[in-house]
Amino acid sequence: QVQPVESGGGSVQAGGSLRLSCVADRSIISRSCMGWLRQAPGKQREGVAGIYSGRGGTDTTYYTDSVKGRFTISQDNSKNTLYLQMNSLKPEDSGMYYCVAKFTPCSPADVGSYGPWGQGTQVTVSS
């Protein structure tokens, strides 16, 4: 299985923004729930956001409570790319972010159970 290519991480101050991208194999992104996990040192892996991009352009999304209203997950199937727009970043958002996927049938709300897939991209938010 070809690993995805994640990018967009970096170091920002609290209140800043970052957009993560994940370019994945078309055979996967077109028939899977996609999402983002994060892993911070000393903390459990956490499902941050998930999406199922249905036919007809209808998306089903999920966000963990701590990021609702600040993060937006989206998917562009024409570019085989998953995005995570992160605004109003907080120090507790810091961690390694991984793009993950699960073939259908699936639920975006179960993103926390998807296995890490790529190398991840590091996000560091300073106060």
Side-chain angles (χ1 to χ4, degrees):
Q1 189 176 85
V2 177
Q3 285 194 332
V5 178
E6 296 135 321
S7 63
S11 296
V12 296
Q13 290 192 325
S17 297
L18 287 172
R19 188 175 81 154
L20 306 185
S21 298
C22 167
V23 180
D25 190 88
R26 181 174 181 80
S27 67
I28 293 173
I29 201 168
S30 63
R31 54 190 181 114
S32 300
C33 291
M34 303 292 296
W36 294 92
L37 292 179
R38 69 184 173 196
Q39 177 83 61
K43 293 186 178 180
Q44 278 193 318
R45 189 175 68 194
E46 179 183 23
V48 175
I51 186 169
Y52 176 69
S53 186
R55 296 184 179 184
T58 57
D59 292 340
T60 301
T61 58
Y62 162 83
Y63 299 94
T64 194
D65 286 345
S66 63
V67 308
K68 286 179 180 177
R70 300 187 297 121
F71 290 12
T72 302
I73 189 170
S74 61
Q75 185 171 320
D76 186 339
N77 288 341
S78 69
K79 297 180 180 179
N80 300 332
T81 303
L82 175 73
Y83 301 101
L84 184 68
Q85 178 66 45
M86 305 186 295
N87 298 328
S88 302
L89 282 162
K90 303 176 180 180
E92 52 263 42
D93 294 320
S94 297
M96 187 69 80
Y97 282 68
Y98 298 93
C99 174
V100 293
K102 184 180 184 298
F103 287 126
T104 56
C106 55
S107 170
D110 294 333
V111 60
S113 66
Y114 302 175
W117 184 22
Q119 296 299 311
T121 184
Q122 180 68 41
V123 172
T124 303
V125 184
S126 58
S127 57

